[in-house]
Amino acid sequence: MIGRLFGVVSQRVPSLLYRVSLMMKPQVVFVLGGPGAGKGTQCSKIVEGYGYTHLSAGDLLREERAREGSEFGQLIANYIKEGKIVPVEITINLLRKAMEETMQKDEKKFRFL
């Protein structure tokens, strides 16, 4: 009886953890610095040691610019071509989408760099 109860509980715990993690807001640490300062190097070490997911705003912008049928691709390309900063709303939207997709794929991934 106790073994069966333990079996049922152990099956439901991952499901419960998943639902709780979806309700939780993601934990985000911003890593800032100039070009060549070592942001990517440090993020790689943090990912290895602490299990964070590294999201690069620059990488996300380049991917969106290259994605066929992108709503913002041409706008992003124009800003980059002119050496201007892409509007924060677009960048934040891409980061939010990447975090949501990551958390949906793996319930244990809710900590981001």
Side-chain angles (χ1 to χ4, degrees):
M1 172 104 176
I2 292 177
R4 192 167 18 148
L5 178 63
F6 180 73
V8 170
V9 169
S10 67
Q11 288 175 352
R12 292 187 180 178
V13 166
S15 172
L16 176 63
L17 289 175
Y18 175 71
R19 288 194 304 252
V20 168
S21 71
L22 287 179
M23 291 186 296
M24 289 176 50
K25 291 184 179 180
Q27 296 175 2
V28 180
V29 174
F30 289 93
V31 180
L32 306 171
K39 299 177 297 292
T41 301
Q42 293 307 313
C43 286
S44 295
K45 292 179 180 194
I46 294 169
V47 167
E48 281 179 32
Y50 300 99
Y52 277 73
T53 298
H54 177 221
L55 298 174
S56 164
D59 290 348
L60 291 171
L61 287 167
R62 285 185 285 278
E63 287 172 16
E64 184 67 17
R65 179 180 64 181
R67 188 174 64 85
E68 192 169 322
S70 167
E71 179 182 354
F72 301 112
Q74 189 59 50
L75 181 67
I76 293 168
N78 289 340
Y79 273 92
I80 291 173
K81 181 180 175 184
E82 295 172 11
K84 295 181 179 177
I85 295 176
V86 175
V88 69
E89 294 84 7
I90 293 173
T91 305
I92 295 299
N93 217 9
L94 293 173
L95 287 165
R96 180 190 49 78
K97 182 179 172 187
M99 286 188 273
E100 287 173 352
E101 289 173 358
T102 300
M103 290 187 298
Q104 284 178 350
K105 288 179 189 173
D106 187 343
E107 63 198 40
K108 295 175 187 161
K109 292 192 173 192
F110 59 92
R111 297 168 20 180
F112 298 93
L113 298 171

